[in-house]
Amino acid sequence: MKKYILDLTVVSLERVHERYVLIKLSDKEPLPPMLPGQFVEVRVDGSPSTFLRRPISICYIDQKVNELWLLVACVGDGTKALAKLKAGDKLNCVLPLGNGFTIQSLTPARGVGGEALLVGGGVGVAPLLYLGATLKAQGIEPTFLLGARSAKDLLLLQEFEKYGRVLVTTEDGSMGEKGFVTNHSVLQNEQFDLIQVCGPTPMMKAVARYAREKGIKCEVSLENLMACGLGACLCCVEKVRVDGDAPTTVTKSDGETPTTVTTNVCVCKEGPVFPISRLMW
């Protein structure tokens, strides 16, 4: 997809949590096409200790009002500077970057329509909102499974409820089922044709194990450290299988166990979304 460098205007900034802000951006011209799971690189102005752009997941695209939403975790000088933006300010963005989630009609294992489970935790819930909205527009109502430490840490629940069923787990049991997302009863009681995940790496690995055990197609959005967003700086390299669905192997002449062929890829360019069949998890 073609990439753009745009000075977008801040429409509003809402603090949705003590550590998170939702920034809504717009432009005089229609925003370029963007896919769920892609991200933007934003320039941080006014922060003397921030020299590199910050990668932020595309949270939602509101085409009716030409808005791009970014859910930002305020964890360092750069993101804390972004949290000080005001309506009318400009934010320089490079977009859209990376490859997103698979968006197509599901081929269900049974019946008609297909079932998609979207699993998120922390700021990792961000790309799932636009993903869920896109799936619903295709006639597939997703199930969202969102995890957090406590009820106060759950983000944008009312927005998710617009596009599908929302299930919740909290570590302290203050809302939904107690435990991690992999402890939720829906995983034992229902079947899904596709699972798409974004969040902390331990959580994604746990969901990936579940998907492998059940033979369910699964995609995850990696959150490797990124700098350029274009595959030039090599900060975000990940070792992956060359062919995930049918791993290419080299049989050793001495009859030892075949070795899976791997390669190193830049997550920002070939990801951030990968099928778990390609990952070395």
Side-chain angles (χ1 to χ4, degrees):
M1 296 179 68
K2 184 177 179 180
K3 300 174 178 59
Y4 300 80
I5 302 177
L6 302 176
D7 284 315
L8 301 180
T9 302
V10 177
V11 176
S12 65
L13 186 147
E14 178 186 357
R15 187 166 287 277
V16 296
H17 183 276
E18 61 184 11
R19 297 193 306 275
Y20 300 95
V21 295
L22 181 65
I23 304 174
K24 297 183 180 180
L25 304 164
S26 190
D27 196 23
K28 294 180 180 179
E29 301 296 325
L31 293 169
M34 289 175 264
L35 300 174
Q38 291 185 305
F39 66 99
V40 306
E41 285 271 358
V42 302
R43 190 180 70 204
V44 182
D45 298 325
S47 176
S49 62
T50 306
F51 304 102
L52 300 173
R53 290 177 179 267
R54 291 296 184 261
I56 308 292
S57 296
I58 294 169
C59 180
Y60 184 69
I61 303 293
D62 191 333
Q63 296 176 336
K64 293 181 180 179
V65 294
N66 199 40
E67 283 184 357
L68 162 65
W69 295 10
L70 302 178
L71 182 63
V72 180
C74 306
V75 295
D77 290 345
T79 48
K80 288 178 181 177
L82 294 177
K84 297 178 182 178
L85 290 169
K86 297 180 177 59
D89 289 345
K90 297 291 185 180
L91 185 62
N92 185 271
C93 300
V94 181
L95 75 159
L97 298 173
N99 294 301
F101 290 100
T102 298
I103 301 296
Q104 60 185 23
S105 297
L106 297 176
T107 302
R110 74 226 161 261
V112 178
E115 298 290 340
L117 178 66
L118 279 49
V119 185
V123 75
V125 305
L128 302 185
L129 182 61
Y130 187 33
L131 175 60
T134 303
L135 288 174
K136 185 169 184 179
Q138 294 188 347
I140 301 167
E141 185 163 319
T143 295
F144 298 99
L145 177 54
L146 309 178
R149 292 181 179 178
S150 66
K152 67 181 180 64
D153 298 312
L154 291 162
L155 304 171
L156 305 179
L157 288 185
Q158 291 183 335
E159 295 296 333
F160 283 105
E161 289 169 351
K162 296 177 181 178
Y163 304 108
R165 178 176 53 152
V166 177
L167 306 175
V168 166
T169 64
T170 51
E171 293 178 30
D172 64 359
S174 55
M175 186 173 181
E177 296 189 14
K178 185 175 182 178
F180 301 116
V181 290
T182 48
N183 302 131
H184 199 284
S185 58
V186 71
L187 299 180
Q188 284 72 49
N189 299 332
E190 298 185 26
Q191 297 181 26
F192 297 92
D193 302 295
L194 175 66
I195 301 177
Q196 296 171 303
V197 194
C198 186
T201 299
M203 182 205 78
M204 293 197 293
K205 287 184 175 181
V207 176
R209 285 194 297 271
Y210 167 84
R212 284 197 178 98
E213 291 171 359
K214 298 295 183 179
I216 303 171
K217 291 182 179 180
C218 181
E219 296 179 327
V220 301
S221 180
L222 301 186
E223 295 186 326
N224 296 33
L225 291 175
M226 299 180 190
C228 71
L230 300 169
C233 68
L234 305 181
C235 286
C236 61
V237 167
E238 180 86 8
K239 180 182 287 187
V240 299
R241 293 182 172 89
V242 171
D243 186 346
D245 293 328
T248 303
T249 59
V250 175
T251 303
K252 299 180 180 179
S253 58
D254 58 6
E256 293 182 7
T257 303
T259 301
T260 299
V261 176
T262 62
T263 186
N264 291 321
V265 299
C266 290
V267 168
C268 67
K269 189 174 181 179
E270 295 206 24
V273 178
F274 293 89
I276 61 171
S277 56
R278 291 201 66 196
L279 299 176
M280 304 299 291
W281 289 356

